[in-house]
Amino acid sequence: MAKTRPPKKDLDSYTIRGTNKIVRVGDCVLMRPSETSKLPYVARIEKIEADNRNNIKVRVRWYYRPEESIGGRRQFHGAKELFLSDHYDVQSAHTIEGRCTVHSFKNYTKLENVGAEDYYCRFEYKAATGAFTPDRVAVYCKCEMPYNPDDLMVQCEGCKDWYHPACVSMTIEEAKKLEHFVCSECASDADVKTNENTFSASPVADSKLESKRQKR
């Protein structure tokens, strides 16, 4: 007669080995890669369970870094950007190295200080096809690229568009010293005086996010 497999027990939490840090279902974690030269993997815990020998496993949903996706890393991808994939897996809980936080894109741009464990996600990613959701996001500047929170941008008071300093023949140092800015198109408008207009902190805080001008 075949032996029945002992049932697994669902756990509410797990204490990371060698620490007093506790992780729970729904938490985002850093997981040890097989190669020490690689960055830690990032995943969201979907389930924690133990077998009759108290071997603890976690079911996770992986986040992909841009360079791990089919299209690779692009100019507008931030250093801390991740994609929430449809790739699920079961791993030993002992591979969890620590907790991290994956913010929404909007909340990430509001952080005053970005820590080593802070990441953000604005896309979901289908690992098999390379498709993204949403498949279009707002674009800015003459180069018509999505916003990268790592890059400084300046806003024109006239048209309210955002520009990379390099795209308007300006250095980063010059942009940081600016108190006022108008783009070349608006500078020719008699109602907008050159260099007498202020700009905001970042494109995400601006209503331009609702722009119809979008890009994948």
Side-chain angles (χ1 to χ4, degrees):
M1 181 176 176
K3 293 182 180 180
T4 58
R5 181 175 296 179
K8 294 180 180 179
K9 179 183 178 182
D10 287 348
L11 303 178
D12 295 326
S13 63
Y14 168 74
T15 301
I16 299 174
R17 176 186 275 184
T19 76
N20 58 0
K21 295 181 180 179
I22 297 173
V23 293
R24 295 180 171 83
V25 172
D27 285 348
C28 293
V29 293
L30 301 171
M31 305 193 74
R32 185 171 58 254
S34 56
E35 298 178 27
T36 56
S37 60
K38 289 187 176 181
L39 292 171
Y41 297 127
V42 182
R44 188 173 72 192
I45 298 175
E46 302 290 317
K47 189 176 184 178
I48 307 172
E49 60 184 18
D51 61 20
N52 65 321
R53 297 181 180 180
N54 206 35
N55 294 315
I56 302 175
K57 302 280 189 180
V58 288
R59 176 174 167 79
V60 299
R61 185 176 181 183
W62 293 114
Y63 283 95
Y64 279 42
R65 299 179 191 274
E67 56 269 26
E68 296 168 337
S69 68
I70 291 175
R73 180 173 287 278
R74 299 181 63 185
Q75 180 182 341
F76 62 87
H77 292 143
K80 305 304 288 289
E81 183 157 9
L82 302 171
F83 309 143
L84 180 60
S85 78
D86 58 353
H87 180 186
Y88 292 84
D89 206 352
V90 175
Q91 295 285 317
S92 168
H94 296 328
T95 61
I96 297 175
E97 294 186 331
R99 279 187 315 213
C100 64
T101 303
V102 181
H103 303 270
S104 69
F105 183 55
K106 185 174 183 179
N107 288 343
Y108 180 85
T109 62
K110 294 179 179 179
L111 294 178
E112 291 185 4
N113 296 296
V114 176
E117 288 78 35
D118 287 312
Y119 298 87
Y120 70 89
C121 177
R122 56 178 157 180
F123 297 108
E124 290 194 15
Y125 175 71
K126 291 189 178 296
T129 64
F132 288 94
T133 304
D135 63 351
R136 292 179 181 274
V137 292
V139 295
Y140 304 91
C141 192
K142 295 178 178 180
C143 61
E144 296 194 339
M145 295 293 288
Y147 176 48
N148 181 341
D150 298 339
D151 294 341
L152 175 68
M153 298 186 79
V154 294
Q155 186 185 36
C156 171
E157 180 73 10
C159 61
K160 306 299 183 184
D161 206 349
W162 292 85
Y163 295 88
H164 299 107
C167 294
V168 289
S169 302
M170 189 187 304
T171 67
I172 297 295
E173 290 71 25
E174 290 171 337
K176 287 180 178 179
K177 295 176 182 178
L178 274 181
E179 293 183 4
H180 313 283
F181 173 73
V182 291
C183 68
S184 58
E185 291 184 11
C186 293
S188 62
D189 190 330
D191 294 329
V192 182
K193 295 181 181 180
T194 304
N195 294 329
E196 292 186 359
N197 297 292
T198 61
F199 59 89
S200 304
S202 73
V204 175
D206 187 64
S207 59
K208 188 73 191 316
L209 274 178
E210 300 301 323
S211 170
K212 293 182 180 179
R213 199 160 58 91
Q214 298 181 324
K215 184 173 184 178
R216 296 188 182 190

